[in-house]
Amino acid sequence: MRTKIVVGNWKMNNSVAESLELATAIAEKVGKGIHCCEVGIAPTFLALHEVGKLIEWSDILLTAQNCHYENDGAFTGEVSASMLAAVGCRYVILGHSERRQFFGDTSAIVNRKVKKALEQGLRVILCVGETLQERESGVTGSVITGQVVEGLDGVADISSLVIAYEPVWAIGTGKTATSAQAEEVHASIRATVAGLYGQTAADHLRIQYGGSVKGSNAAELFAMPNIDGGLIGGASLNADDFMAIVKAAC
Ligand code: 13P
């Protein structure tokens, strides 16, 4: 039985003060000792340190939205995996479609980041997803398989890894993949991973769905056999909306 995982990706939203306020509200609701699902929040880099201290008492897992693939050096504007681990991050989101689309994160770069983050003891949420054009051209399967295979190239152990399937056309658009559409891709990701790492490792892998998840559609998505939680954007910016999704996973 896989423990579901729900993570709020706050993206470039909330000042440090606002992040502390939202984190406080979520921590009060999640509390300590609720183990029906894992819950993470991913604030702006600026707020990670303070939010981390604030939620330390709770079960919430501090998550970062990105990292660099080197430990340190002349990489202006970047943040390393070791720096994230040092402020208490447990997870890092890598390969989000917004990074791939706007910041040049190719699968090869994402793969270097995945390996560095795992080496530094972080757990990784590796995002994959097809564009609307790719879906309409019938290449969803090959695009997703390519992103999974390239993202995991040279990764020996996936026990600290989660995959998030986020169809680009469903992100921030209010258009959710149907539970059947999502399940089909999740099952194919698990089959790809089974081919790479064996059935047992694939059976243990959590695969989250992301893309316009709300309290009203979360339960149906999470009821699918291969959907193991969600990566939440817009609805994670409000504590009550986010908690409705967490509850749907429990
Ligand atoms: P929305 O929930 O706003 O569609 O965003 C999903 C997402 O990109 C999470 O990483």
Side-chain angles (χ1 to χ4, degrees):
M1 188 63 188
R2 295 181 291 268
T3 305
K4 287 199 169 39
I5 170 165
V6 176
V7 175
N9 175 10
W10 296 358
K11 308 192 179 182
M12 197 174 74
N13 292 295
N14 293 331
S15 64
V16 173
E18 289 162 344
S19 298
L20 290 169
E21 202 177 314
L22 181 56
T24 303
I26 294 172
E28 276 166 8
K29 291 171 196 290
V30 170
K32 186 142 189 74
I34 303 168
H35 298 293
C36 57
C37 89
E38 280 186 24
V39 180
I41 54 174
T44 167
F45 281 134
L46 285 176
L48 281 173
H49 192 201
E50 281 194 66
V51 167
K53 284 191 285 185
L54 191 76
I55 62 172
E56 208 173 10
W57 67 273
S58 77
D59 285 335
I60 301 175
L61 299 161
L62 189 66
T63 302
Q65 299 176 19
N66 183 33
C67 73
H68 195 260
Y69 50 73
E70 295 289 353
N71 284 331
D72 46 42
F75 300 100
T76 302
E78 292 293 320
V79 175
S80 71
S82 57
M83 291 170 184
L84 297 177
V87 296
C89 284
R90 309 287 297 282
Y91 278 95
V92 59
I93 299 167
L94 295 174
H96 191 283
S97 65
E98 288 150 16
R99 299 286 325 164
R100 294 180 191 257
Q101 203 178 341
F102 304 128
F103 302 102
D105 280 15
T106 61
S107 279
I109 289 172
V110 172
N111 173 251
R112 291 180 72 180
K113 293 181 175 190
V114 167
K115 286 190 279 203
K116 180 55 71 179
L118 291 173
E119 177 196 298
Q120 293 300 323
L122 289 172
R123 292 170 166 263
V124 167
I125 297 173
L126 170 63
C127 301
V128 299
E130 83 287 2
T131 62
L132 184 59
Q133 196 197 355
E134 288 163 341
R135 174 159 284 264
E136 286 176 347
S137 335
V139 295
T140 298
S142 59
V143 167
I144 302 297
T145 303
Q147 289 174 349
V148 169
V149 171
E150 289 164 39
L152 295 179
D153 186 38
V155 175
D157 179 2
I158 56 162
S159 56
S160 295
L161 188 108
V162 172
I163 291 180
Y165 168 56
E166 299 203 302
V168 179
W169 48 271
I171 295 177
T173 59
K175 261 197 210 171
T176 320
T178 64
S179 51
Q181 279 174 323
E183 170 62 17
E184 185 186 1
V185 177
H186 282 232
S188 80
I189 292 172
R190 201 175 302 287
T192 301
V193 170
L196 295 170
Y197 294 94
Q199 194 60 52
T200 306
D203 285 342
H204 282 101
L205 174 74
R206 273 99 51 90
I207 307 175
Q208 297 173 296
Y209 170 79
S212 300
V213 178
K214 305 183 271 286
S216 55
N217 59 24
E220 188 187 332
L221 286 159
F222 297 168
M224 301 310 280
N226 285 292
I227 300 183
D228 307 309
L231 187 54
I232 320 301
S236 71
L237 298 174
N238 174 285
D240 290 332
D241 293 348
F242 183 60
M243 287 312 294
I245 297 169
V246 170
K247 288 209 176 79
C250 284

